[in-house]
Amino acid sequence: MCYLSSDNTTIEPDDIPKTKENVWILGKKYSAIQDLDRIRRDVSSIIWCTYRKGFVPIGDEGLTSDKGWGCMLRCGQMVLGVALTRIHLSTDWVWSPETRDPTYLKIIQRFEERKQAPYSIHQVALMGASEGKEVGQWFGPNTIAQVLKKLVVYDKWSSLVIHVALDNTVVKEDILQQCIIKNELNNSSNMVDGITVSDWMPLLLIVPLRLGLSEINPVYMNGLKICFQSSQSIGVIGGKPNQALYLVGCVGDEVIYLDPHTTQRSGLVENKSTDEQKEMDCSYHCKYASRIPILAMDPSVAVCFLCRTKSDFEELCSTIENNLMQESQPLFEICEKRPSHWGPCSVDIDLNKTALFAEFEDVDRQFDDSDDEFEIL
C-alpha cells in the first residue's frame, strides 16, 4: 500500500481507528491506542494469500492467473495458514522479513503455486472441479470449507482435522469421533493406571452460515462479535457483495479484513536464501488491514475456530452455550448428539467419491476476468 500525499508527505494508514473500544483480531484483545504497533505486527504475521499470475496453467482453459475468480480460494488458504501457524509454531508467533524458521518455510511452501503443494491454487481449484466447480468458477464459503476438508486428508504433516458443521449446528459427538484418537493398548508409554490415553487431533471447525437474504440482518451483529472475541477464533470467510475477504477481527461495529484482490507474480520461497526468494516471502504478508461496517458484509459467511487441544474445544463449547446461544437469534447452535434425521455420521472421507457435499451455492455465472465478481448465495 502507498500512503503518500500529493506533496509526498507520509499519511498514516487508516487501518485501525483511534478509539477507546477494544480491537479483536484472531481471538486476541488489543487497545487501539496503546497496542497499534503490536496489532500491525500481528496482522503482518498472517500468511496473506492473493491473486497470482504467471503460474503453471490450470484446467482446460489453461488459466495462468486466478485474478477475477480465485478470491474465495485465497481466503480459504489464509484461514488454513493461520491454523497451521498456530499448530506448528505458536499462537504468539511473529513473522519478520528476516524469518527463516524451517517450520514456517514448510508452511508457506504448502501454499505456493506448484501442483505438488498440498494447498496450492492448483490443488484447491482442481479439488473444487471434482465436486462440480470448474476451474475459473466462483466458490462460496461452504464450497471452500468442504474442499479444504478433503485436501487436509492428503497432507499428514499438517496434523489437522477439518469439521464443517451442517444446518447451523455443531454436533459434539461427531467432532469427538473425528478428533480423539485412541492409542494402542500395548504402548505402555500411553498408559495411565492401565487405561489408554487418548490423543487429540487439532480441530479446524468451520460453520457456514447465511445471515440474511441480500444483506446482513442486524440481529446477528452481536453474535458475530462474540465469535471474533472467542480465543479459538481464526476469523471468518466472507466478504462484501462481489468480493471475498478474509475477516480477521472486529472493532466497534466494523470488521477488520485482509483483501486478496491484489495480483502478484508467482514464484517460490524455497529456503529463502536469495533476494528473489526473500522478496517472494514478503509478498505473503500485508502491512495493514482494512475495515468495513459489519452491515456492509455479504450475508454468506463461514465462521472459523481452531481448537488445538481438547480443553480448547471444551472452552469453545462453553462460549457457544453460555454466550452465543443466549442471543435472541443465535448464529448457530451446539448439541451433544447427532440429530436422528441426519442419518449416520461418516468420519472418514472417501476420496474416490466425487459428490461428497451439498452446496449452499447454486448460481450460474459466466466467467470473465473481473475483480468484482463473487459467488453470491
Side-chain angles (χ1 to χ4, degrees), residues 149-233:
K149 175 182 174 179
K150 287 192 280 295
L151 285 178
V152 297
V153 176
Y154 287 105
D155 183 26
K156 299 302 182 185
W157 180 84
S158 288
S159 302
L160 179 67
V161 166
I162 294 181
H163 180 88
V164 183
L166 302 174
D167 292 343
N168 301 354
T169 305
V170 175
V171 180
K172 292 184 186 179
E173 179 183 50
D174 288 355
I175 290 172
L176 293 176
Q177 189 177 352
Q178 279 184 274
C179 293
I180 294 180
I181 302 167
K182 299 286 188 183
N183 286 313
E184 294 296 327
L185 285 171
N186 60 3
N187 186 343
S188 59
S189 64
N190 291 322
M191 299 286 288
V192 177
D193 295 331
I195 300 173
T196 305
V197 176
S198 296
D199 288 331
W200 176 266
M201 279 285 284
L203 166 72
L204 170 52
L205 172 62
I206 305 179
V207 188
L209 301 169
R210 182 64 187 252
L211 305 180
L213 294 176
S214 59
E215 56 189 28
I216 291 272
N217 187 327
V219 73
Y220 295 117
M221 281 182 62
N222 198 55
L224 277 170
K225 293 180 185 181
I226 291 171
C227 290
F228 282 122
Q229 293 168 14
S230 162
S231 59
Q232 289 77 35
S233 172

Coordinates of all heavy atoms in Angstrom, one line a residue, residues 149-233:
K149 N -11.5 -29.4 3.6 CA -11.7 -30.5 4.5 C -11.1 -31.8 3.8 O -10.5 -32.7 4.5 CB -13.2 -30.7 4.7 CG -13.6 -32.0 5.5 CD -15.1 -32.0 5.6 CE -15.5 -33.4 6.2 NZ -17.0 -33.4 6.4
K150 N -11.3 -31.9 2.5 CA -10.8 -33.0 1.8 C -9.3 -33.0 1.5 O -8.6 -34.0 1.6 CB -11.5 -33.2 0.5 CG -12.9 -33.8 0.7 CD -13.6 -34.2 -0.6 CE -14.1 -33.0 -1.4 NZ -15.2 -32.3 -0.7
L151 N -8.8 -31.8 1.3 CA -7.3 -31.6 1.0 C -6.4 -32.0 2.2 O -5.4 -32.5 2.0 CB -7.0 -30.2 0.5 CG -7.5 -29.8 -0.9 CD1 -7.2 -28.4 -1.2 CD2 -6.8 -30.8 -1.9
V152 N -6.9 -31.6 3.4 CA -6.0 -31.9 4.5 C -5.8 -33.4 4.8 O -4.9 -33.8 5.4 CB -6.5 -31.3 5.9 CG1 -6.6 -29.8 5.8 CG2 -7.9 -31.8 6.2
V153 N -6.7 -34.2 4.2 CA -6.6 -35.7 4.4 C -5.3 -36.1 3.7 O -4.7 -37.1 4.1 CB -7.9 -36.4 3.8 CG1 -7.7 -37.9 3.9 CG2 -9.1 -36.0 4.6
Y154 N -5.0 -35.5 2.6 CA -3.8 -35.9 1.8 C -2.5 -35.4 2.6 O -1.4 -36.0 2.3 CB -3.8 -35.2 0.5 CG -4.8 -35.8 -0.5 CD1 -5.9 -35.1 -0.8 CD2 -4.5 -37.0 -1.1 CE1 -6.8 -35.6 -1.8 CE2 -5.4 -37.5 -2.1 CZ -6.6 -36.8 -2.4 OH -7.4 -37.3 -3.3
D155 N -2.6 -34.4 3.4 CA -1.4 -33.8 4.0 C -1.2 -34.3 5.4 O -1.7 -33.6 6.4 CB -1.4 -32.3 3.9 CG -0.2 -31.6 4.4 OD1 0.9 -32.2 4.4 OD2 -0.3 -30.4 4.8
K156 N -0.5 -35.4 5.7 CA -0.4 -35.9 7.0 C 0.4 -35.0 7.9 O 0.1 -34.9 9.1 CB 0.3 -37.3 7.0 CG -0.5 -38.3 6.2 CD -1.9 -38.5 6.8 CE -2.7 -39.6 6.0 NZ -4.1 -39.7 6.5
W157 N 1.4 -34.2 7.4 CA 2.2 -33.4 8.2 C 1.4 -32.3 8.9 O 1.7 -31.9 10.0 CB 3.3 -32.7 7.3 CG 4.1 -31.8 8.1 CD1 5.2 -32.1 8.9 CD2 4.0 -30.4 8.3 NE1 5.8 -31.0 9.5 CE2 5.0 -29.9 9.2 CE3 3.1 -29.4 7.8 CZ2 5.2 -28.6 9.5 CZ3 3.2 -28.1 8.2 CH2 4.2 -27.7 9.0
S158 N 0.3 -31.8 8.2 CA -0.5 -30.7 8.8 C -1.1 -31.1 10.2 O -1.4 -30.3 11.0 CB -1.6 -30.3 7.8 OG -1.0 -29.6 6.8
S159 N -1.3 -32.4 10.4 CA -1.9 -32.9 11.7 C -3.1 -32.1 12.1 O -3.2 -31.6 13.2 CB -0.8 -32.8 12.8 OG 0.3 -33.5 12.4
L160 N -4.1 -32.1 11.2 CA -5.3 -31.3 11.3 C -6.5 -32.0 10.9 O -6.5 -32.7 9.8 CB -5.1 -30.0 10.5 CG -6.2 -29.0 10.5 CD1 -6.4 -28.3 11.9 CD2 -5.9 -27.9 9.5
V161 N -7.6 -31.9 11.6 CA -8.9 -32.3 11.2 C -9.8 -31.1 10.9 O -9.8 -30.2 11.7 CB -9.6 -33.2 12.4 CG1 -11.0 -33.4 12.1 CG2 -8.9 -34.5 12.5
I162 N -10.5 -31.1 9.8 CA -11.4 -30.1 9.5 C -12.8 -30.6 9.6 O -13.1 -31.7 9.0 CB -11.2 -29.5 8.1 CG1 -9.8 -28.7 8.1 CG2 -12.3 -28.5 7.7 CD1 -9.5 -28.1 6.7
H163 N -13.6 -30.0 10.4 CA -15.0 -30.4 10.5 C -15.9 -29.2 10.0 O -15.7 -28.1 10.5 CB -15.4 -30.7 12.0 CG -16.8 -31.1 12.2 ND1 -17.3 -32.4 12.0 CD2 -17.9 -30.3 12.4 CE1 -18.6 -32.4 12.2 NE2 -19.0 -31.2 12.5
V164 N -16.8 -29.5 9.1 CA -17.7 -28.5 8.6 C -19.1 -28.8 9.1 O -19.7 -29.8 8.8 CB -17.7 -28.5 7.0 CG1 -18.6 -27.3 6.5 CG2 -16.3 -28.3 6.5
A165 N -19.6 -27.8 9.9 CA -20.9 -28.0 10.6 C -22.0 -27.9 9.6 O -22.0 -27.0 8.7 CB -21.0 -27.0 11.7
L166 N -23.0 -28.7 9.7 CA -24.2 -28.7 8.8 C -25.4 -28.1 9.5 O -25.5 -28.1 10.7 CB -24.5 -30.1 8.4 CG -23.5 -30.9 7.7 CD1 -23.9 -32.4 7.5 CD2 -23.1 -30.3 6.4
D167 N -26.2 -27.4 8.7 CA -27.5 -26.9 9.2 C -27.4 -26.1 10.4 O -28.2 -26.1 11.4 CB -28.5 -28.1 9.5 CG -28.9 -28.9 8.3 OD1 -28.7 -28.3 7.2 OD2 -29.4 -30.0 8.4
N168 N -26.3 -25.2 10.4 CA -26.2 -24.3 11.6 C -26.0 -25.0 12.9 O -26.4 -24.4 13.9 CB -27.3 -23.2 11.6 CG -27.4 -22.4 10.4 OD1 -26.6 -22.5 9.5 ND2 -28.5 -21.6 10.3
T169 N -25.6 -26.2 12.9 CA -25.5 -27.0 14.1 C -24.1 -27.6 14.3 O -23.7 -28.3 13.4 CB -26.6 -28.1 14.1 OG1 -27.9 -27.5 13.9 CG2 -26.6 -28.8 15.5
V170 N -23.5 -27.4 15.4 CA -22.3 -28.1 15.8 C -22.6 -29.3 16.7 O -23.2 -29.1 17.7 CB -21.3 -27.1 16.5 CG1 -20.1 -27.9 17.0 CG2 -20.9 -26.0 15.6
V171 N -22.2 -30.5 16.2 CA -22.5 -31.7 17.0 C -21.3 -32.2 17.7 O -20.3 -32.6 17.0 CB -23.1 -32.8 16.0 CG1 -23.4 -34.0 16.8 CG2 -24.3 -32.3 15.3
K172 N -21.3 -32.1 19.0 CA -20.1 -32.5 19.8 C -19.7 -34.0 19.5 O -18.5 -34.3 19.3 CB -20.4 -32.4 21.3 CG -20.5 -31.0 21.8 CD -20.7 -31.0 23.3 CE -21.0 -29.6 23.8 NZ -21.2 -29.7 25.3
E173 N -20.7 -34.9 19.4 CA -20.4 -36.3 19.2 C -19.6 -36.5 17.9 O -18.6 -37.3 17.9 CB -21.7 -37.0 19.1 CG -21.6 -38.5 18.9 CD -23.0 -39.1 18.7 OE1 -23.8 -38.6 17.9 OE2 -23.2 -40.2 19.4
D174 N -20.0 -35.8 16.8 CA -19.3 -36.0 15.6 C -17.9 -35.5 15.7 O -16.9 -36.1 15.1 CB -20.0 -35.2 14.5 CG -21.3 -35.9 14.1 OD1 -21.6 -37.0 14.6 OD2 -22.1 -35.3 13.3
I175 N -17.7 -34.4 16.3 CA -16.3 -33.8 16.4 C -15.4 -34.7 17.3 O -14.3 -34.9 16.9 CB -16.4 -32.4 17.0 CG1 -17.0 -31.5 15.9 CG2 -15.0 -31.9 17.4 CD1 -17.3 -30.1 16.4
L176 N -15.9 -35.2 18.4 CA -15.1 -36.0 19.3 C -14.7 -37.3 18.6 O -13.6 -37.8 18.7 CB -15.9 -36.3 20.6 CG -16.1 -35.1 21.5 CD1 -17.0 -35.6 22.7 CD2 -14.8 -34.5 22.0
Q177 N -15.6 -37.8 17.7 CA -15.4 -39.0 17.0 C -14.2 -38.8 16.0 O -13.4 -39.7 15.7 CB -16.6 -39.5 16.2 CG -16.5 -40.8 15.6 CD -17.8 -41.3 14.9 OE1 -18.9 -40.6 15.1 NE2 -17.8 -42.4 14.2
Q178 N -14.2 -37.6 15.4 CA -13.1 -37.2 14.5 C -11.8 -37.0 15.2 O -10.7 -37.3 14.6 CB -13.5 -36.0 13.7 CG -14.4 -36.2 12.5 CD -14.7 -35.0 11.7 OE1 -15.5 -34.2 12.1 NE2 -13.9 -34.8 10.7
C179 N -11.8 -36.3 16.3 CA -10.6 -35.7 16.9 C -9.9 -36.6 17.9 O -8.7 -36.4 18.2 CB -10.9 -34.3 17.5 SG -11.4 -33.1 16.2
I180 N -10.6 -37.4 18.6 CA -10.0 -38.3 19.6 C -9.5 -39.6 19.0 O -10.3 -40.3 18.4 CB -11.0 -38.5 20.8 CG1 -11.3 -37.2 21.5 CG2 -10.4 -39.6 21.7 CD1 -12.2 -37.4 22.7
I181 N -8.2 -39.8 19.1 CA -7.6 -40.9 18.5 C -7.1 -41.8 19.7 O -6.2 -41.4 20.5 CB -6.4 -40.5 17.6 CG1 -6.9 -39.6 16.5 CG2 -5.7 -41.8 17.0 CD1 -5.8 -38.9 15.8
K182 N -7.5 -43.0 19.7 CA -7.1 -44.0 20.8 C -5.7 -44.5 20.5 O -5.5 -45.0 19.4 CB -8.1 -45.1 20.9 CG -9.5 -44.7 21.2 CD -9.6 -44.3 22.7 CE -11.1 -44.1 23.1 NZ -11.2 -43.7 24.4
N183 N -4.9 -44.5 21.4 CA -3.5 -45.0 21.3 C -3.6 -46.6 21.5 O -4.5 -47.1 22.1 CB -2.6 -44.5 22.3 CG -2.2 -43.0 22.0 OD1 -1.8 -42.8 20.8 ND2 -2.2 -42.2 22.9
E184 N -2.6 -47.3 21.0 CA -2.6 -48.7 21.1 C -2.4 -49.1 22.6 O -1.7 -48.5 23.3 CB -1.4 -49.3 20.3 CG -1.5 -49.1 18.8 CD -2.7 -49.8 18.2 OE1 -3.1 -50.9 18.7 OE2 -3.3 -49.3 17.3
L185 N -3.2 -50.1 23.0 CA -3.2 -50.6 24.4 C -1.8 -51.1 24.8 O -1.4 -51.0 25.9 CB -4.2 -51.7 24.6 CG -5.7 -51.2 24.6 CD1 -6.6 -52.4 24.6 CD2 -5.9 -50.4 25.9
N186 N -1.1 -51.7 23.8 CA 0.2 -52.3 24.2 C 1.4 -51.3 24.2 O 2.5 -51.6 24.4 CB 0.6 -53.4 23.2 CG 0.7 -52.9 21.8 OD1 0.6 -51.7 21.5 ND2 0.9 -53.9 20.9
N187 N 1.0 -50.0 24.0 CA 2.1 -49.0 24.1 C 2.1 -48.4 25.5 O 1.3 -47.6 25.9 CB 1.8 -47.8 23.1 CG 2.9 -46.8 23.1 OD1 3.7 -46.7 24.0 ND2 2.9 -46.0 22.0
S188 N 3.0 -49.0 26.4 CA 3.0 -48.6 27.8 C 3.2 -47.2 28.1 O 2.7 -46.6 29.1 CB 4.1 -49.4 28.5 OG 5.3 -49.2 28.0
S189 N 3.9 -46.4 27.2 CA 4.1 -45.0 27.4 C 2.8 -44.2 27.3 O 2.8 -43.1 27.8 CB 5.1 -44.5 26.4 OG 4.6 -44.6 25.0
N190 N 1.8 -44.8 26.7 CA 0.5 -44.1 26.6 C -0.5 -44.7 27.6 O -1.7 -44.4 27.4 CB -0.1 -44.3 25.2 CG 0.8 -43.5 24.2 OD1 1.3 -42.4 24.5 ND2 1.0 -44.1 23.0
M191 N -0.1 -45.4 28.6 CA -1.0 -45.9 29.6 C -0.9 -45.2 30.9 O 0.2 -44.8 31.3 CB -0.6 -47.4 29.9 CG -0.7 -48.3 28.6 SD -2.4 -48.7 28.2 CE -2.8 -49.8 29.5
V192 N -2.0 -44.9 31.5 CA -2.1 -44.3 32.8 C -3.0 -45.2 33.7 O -4.2 -45.3 33.4 CB -2.6 -42.9 32.8 CG1 -2.7 -42.3 34.2 CG2 -1.8 -42.0 31.9
D193 N -2.3 -45.9 34.7 CA -3.1 -46.8 35.5 C -3.9 -47.9 34.7 O -5.0 -48.2 35.0 CB -4.1 -46.1 36.4 CG -3.3 -45.2 37.4 OD1 -2.2 -45.5 37.8 OD2 -3.9 -44.1 37.8
G194 N -3.2 -48.3 33.6 CA -3.9 -49.4 32.8 C -4.9 -48.9 31.9 O -5.5 -49.7 31.2
I195 N -5.1 -47.6 31.8 CA -6.1 -47.0 30.9 C -5.5 -46.3 29.7 O -4.5 -45.6 29.8 CB -7.0 -46.0 31.6 CG1 -7.7 -46.7 32.8 CG2 -8.1 -45.4 30.7 CD1 -8.4 -45.7 33.7
T196 N -6.0 -46.5 28.5 CA -5.5 -45.9 27.3 C -5.7 -44.4 27.3 O -6.8 -43.9 27.6 CB -6.2 -46.5 26.1 OG1 -6.0 -47.9 26.1 CG2 -5.5 -46.0 24.8
V197 N -4.6 -43.7 27.0 CA -4.7 -42.2 26.9 C -5.1 -41.9 25.5 O -4.6 -42.4 24.6 CB -3.3 -41.6 27.3 CG1 -3.4 -40.1 27.1 CG2 -2.9 -41.9 28.7
S198 N -6.0 -40.9 25.4 CA -6.5 -40.5 24.1 C -5.7 -39.3 23.6 O -5.5 -38.4 24.4 CB -8.0 -40.2 24.1 OG -8.7 -41.4 24.4
D199 N -5.3 -39.3 22.3 CA -4.7 -38.1 21.7 C -5.8 -37.3 21.0 O -6.8 -37.8 20.5 CB -3.7 -38.5 20.7 CG -2.4 -39.1 21.4 OD1 -2.2 -38.7 22.5 OD2 -1.8 -39.9 20.8
W200 N -5.5 -35.9 21.0 CA -6.5 -35.0 20.3 C -5.8 -34.5 19.0 O -4.7 -33.9 19.1 CB -6.8 -33.9 21.3 CG -7.7 -32.8 20.6 CD1 -7.2 -31.6 20.0 CD2 -9.1 -32.8 20.6 NE1 -8.3 -30.9 19.6 CE2 -9.5 -31.6 19.9 CE3 -10.1 -33.6 21.1 CZ2 -10.8 -31.2 19.7 CZ3 -11.4 -33.3 20.8 CH2 -11.8 -32.1 20.2
M201 N -6.5 -34.7 17.9 CA -6.1 -34.1 16.7 C -6.6 -32.7 16.6 O -7.8 -32.4 16.8 CB -6.6 -34.9 15.5 CG -5.9 -36.1 15.2 SD -4.3 -35.8 14.3 CE -4.9 -35.4 12.7
P202 N -5.7 -31.7 16.4 CA -6.2 -30.3 16.3 C -7.3 -30.2 15.3 O -7.3 -30.8 14.3 CB -4.9 -29.6 15.8 CG -3.8 -30.4 16.3 CD -4.2 -31.8 16.2
L203 N -8.3 -29.4 15.8 CA -9.6 -29.2 15.0 C -9.7 -27.8 14.4 O -9.6 -26.8 15.1 CB -10.7 -29.5 16.0 CG -12.1 -29.0 15.5 CD1 -12.6 -30.0 14.4 CD2 -13.1 -29.0 16.6
L204 N -9.9 -27.8 13.1 CA -10.4 -26.5 12.5 C -11.9 -26.7 12.2 O -12.3 -27.5 11.4 CB -9.6 -26.3 11.2 CG -10.2 -25.2 10.3 CD1 -10.3 -23.9 11.0 CD2 -9.2 -25.0 9.0
L205 N -12.7 -26.0 13.0 CA -14.1 -26.0 12.9 C -14.6 -24.9 12.0 O -14.3 -23.7 12.3 CB -14.8 -25.9 14.3 CG -16.3 -25.8 14.3 CD1 -17.0 -27.0 13.7 CD2 -16.8 -25.6 15.8
I206 N -15.3 -25.2 11.0 CA -15.9 -24.2 10.0 C -17.4 -24.3 10.0 O -17.9 -25.4 9.8 CB -15.3 -24.4 8.6 CG1 -13.8 -24.4 8.6 CG2 -15.8 -23.3 7.7 CD1 -13.1 -24.5 7.3
V207 N -18.1 -23.2 10.3 CA -19.5 -23.2 10.3 C -20.1 -22.3 9.2 O -20.1 -21.1 9.4 CB -20.1 -22.7 11.7 CG1 -21.6 -23.0 11.8 CG2 -19.3 -23.5 12.8
P208 N -20.5 -22.8 8.1 CA -21.1 -22.0 7.0 C -22.5 -21.5 7.5 O -23.3 -22.2 8.0 CB -21.2 -22.9 5.8 CG -20.3 -24.1 6.2 CD -20.4 -24.2 7.7
L209 N -22.7 -20.2 7.2 CA -24.0 -19.6 7.7 C -24.5 -18.6 6.6 O -23.8 -18.1 5.8 CB -23.7 -18.7 9.0 CG -23.1 -19.5 10.2 CD1 -22.7 -18.5 11.2 CD2 -24.2 -20.4 10.8
R210 N -25.8 -18.4 6.7 CA -26.5 -17.4 5.9 C -27.2 -16.5 6.8 O -28.1 -16.9 7.5 CB -27.5 -18.1 4.9 CG -28.2 -17.1 4.0 CD -27.2 -16.5 3.1 NE -27.9 -15.4 2.3 CZ -28.2 -15.5 1.0 NH1 -27.9 -16.6 0.3 NH2 -28.7 -14.5 0.3
L211 N -26.7 -15.2 6.9 CA -27.2 -14.3 7.9 C -28.1 -13.2 7.4 O -28.1 -12.1 7.9 CB -25.9 -13.6 8.6 CG -24.9 -14.6 9.2 CD1 -23.8 -13.9 9.8 CD2 -25.6 -15.5 10.2
G212 N -28.8 -13.6 6.4 CA -29.8 -12.6 5.8 C -30.0 -13.0 4.3 O -29.4 -13.9 3.8
L213 N -30.9 -12.3 3.7 CA -31.2 -12.6 2.3 C -30.2 -12.0 1.3 O -29.3 -12.6 0.7 CB -32.6 -12.2 1.9 CG -33.7 -13.1 2.6 CD1 -35.1 -12.5 2.3 CD2 -33.6 -14.5 2.2
S214 N -30.2 -10.6 1.3 CA -29.3 -9.9 0.4 C -28.3 -9.1 1.2 O -27.4 -8.6 0.7 CB -30.1 -9.0 -0.6 OG -30.9 -8.1 0.1
E215 N -28.6 -8.9 2.5 CA -27.7 -8.2 3.4 C -27.7 -8.8 4.8 O -28.7 -9.5 5.1 CB -28.0 -6.7 3.4 CG -29.5 -6.4 3.7 CD -29.9 -4.9 3.5 OE1 -29.3 -4.3 2.6 OE2 -30.8 -4.5 4.3
I216 N -26.7 -8.4 5.6 CA -26.7 -8.9 7.0 C -27.9 -8.4 7.8 O -28.2 -7.2 7.8 CB -25.4 -8.5 7.6 CG1 -24.2 -9.2 7.0 CG2 -25.4 -8.7 9.1 CD1 -23.8 -10.5 7.6
N217 N -28.6 -9.3 8.5 CA -29.6 -8.9 9.4 C -28.9 -8.4 10.7 O -28.1 -9.1 11.3 CB -30.5 -10.1 9.7 CG -31.7 -9.8 10.5 OD1 -31.7 -8.9 11.4 ND2 -32.8 -10.5 10.3
P218 N -29.3 -7.2 11.1 CA -28.6 -6.6 12.3 C -28.7 -7.5 13.5 O -27.9 -7.3 14.5 CB -29.3 -5.2 12.5 CG -29.9 -4.9 11.1 CD -30.2 -6.2 10.5
V219 N -29.7 -8.4 13.6 CA -29.8 -9.2 14.8 C -28.6 -10.1 15.0 O -28.4 -10.6 16.1 CB -31.1 -10.0 14.7 CG1 -31.0 -11.2 13.7 CG2 -31.6 -10.6 16.0
Y220 N -27.8 -10.3 13.9 CA -26.7 -11.2 14.0 C -25.4 -10.5 14.4 O -24.3 -11.1 14.6 CB -26.5 -11.9 12.7 CG -27.6 -12.9 12.4 CD1 -28.4 -12.7 11.2 CD2 -27.9 -14.0 13.1 CE1 -29.4 -13.5 10.9 CE2 -28.9 -14.9 12.8 CZ -29.7 -14.6 11.7 OH -30.7 -15.5 11.4
M221 N -25.4 -9.2 14.5 CA -24.2 -8.4 14.7 C -23.5 -8.8 16.0 O -22.3 -9.1 16.0 CB -24.5 -6.9 14.7 CG -24.7 -6.3 13.4 SD -24.9 -4.5 13.5 CE -23.4 -3.9 14.2
N222 N -24.2 -8.9 17.1 CA -23.5 -9.2 18.3 C -23.0 -10.7 18.3 O -21.9 -10.9 18.9 CB -24.5 -9.0 19.5 CG -23.7 -8.9 20.8 OD1 -22.8 -8.1 21.0 ND2 -24.1 -9.8 21.8
G223 N -23.7 -11.5 17.7 CA -23.2 -12.9 17.6 C -21.9 -13.0 16.8 O -21.0 -13.8 17.2
L224 N -21.8 -12.2 15.8 CA -20.5 -12.2 15.0 C -19.4 -11.7 15.9 O -18.3 -12.2 15.9 CB -20.6 -11.3 13.8 CG -21.2 -12.0 12.5 CD1 -21.5 -10.9 11.5 CD2 -20.3 -13.0 12.0
K225 N -19.7 -10.6 16.7 CA -18.7 -10.1 17.6 C -18.2 -11.1 18.7 O -17.1 -11.3 19.0 CB -19.2 -8.9 18.3 CG -19.4 -7.7 17.4 CD -20.0 -6.5 18.2 CE -20.3 -5.3 17.3 NZ -20.9 -4.2 18.1
I226 N -19.2 -11.9 19.2 CA -18.9 -13.0 20.1 C -17.9 -14.0 19.5 O -16.9 -14.4 20.1 CB -20.1 -13.7 20.6 CG1 -21.0 -12.7 21.5 CG2 -19.8 -15.0 21.4 CD1 -22.3 -13.3 21.8
C227 N -18.1 -14.3 18.2 CA -17.3 -15.3 17.5 C -15.8 -14.7 17.4 O -14.9 -15.4 17.7 CB -17.8 -15.6 16.1 SG -19.3 -16.6 16.1
F228 N -15.7 -13.4 17.0 CA -14.4 -12.8 16.8 C -13.7 -12.7 18.1 O -12.5 -12.7 18.2 CB -14.6 -11.4 16.2 CG -14.8 -11.4 14.7 CD1 -15.9 -10.8 14.2 CD2 -13.9 -11.9 13.9 CE1 -16.1 -10.7 12.8 CE2 -14.1 -11.9 12.5 CZ -15.2 -11.3 12.0
Q229 N -14.4 -12.6 19.2 CA -13.8 -12.4 20.6 C -13.4 -13.8 21.2 O -12.7 -13.8 22.2 CB -14.8 -11.7 21.5 CG -15.0 -10.2 21.0 CD -16.1 -9.5 21.7 OE1 -16.6 -10.0 22.7 NE2 -16.5 -8.4 21.2
S230 N -13.9 -14.9 20.7 CA -13.5 -16.2 21.2 C -12.0 -16.4 21.0 O -11.5 -16.1 19.9 CB -14.3 -17.3 20.5 OG -13.7 -18.5 20.7
S231 N -11.4 -16.9 22.0 CA -9.9 -17.1 21.9 C -9.6 -18.2 20.9 O -8.4 -18.4 20.5 CB -9.3 -17.5 23.3 OG -10.0 -18.7 23.8
Q232 N -10.6 -19.0 20.5 CA -10.4 -20.0 19.4 C -10.6 -19.5 18.0 O -10.4 -20.2 17.0 CB -11.3 -21.2 19.7 CG -10.9 -22.1 20.9 CD -11.3 -21.5 22.2 OE1 -12.4 -20.8 22.3 NE2 -10.5 -21.6 23.2
S233 N -11.0 -18.2 17.9 CA -11.4 -17.6 16.6 C -10.2 -17.6 15.7 O -9.1 -17.1 16.1 CB -12.0 -16.2 16.8 OG -12.1 -15.6 15.5

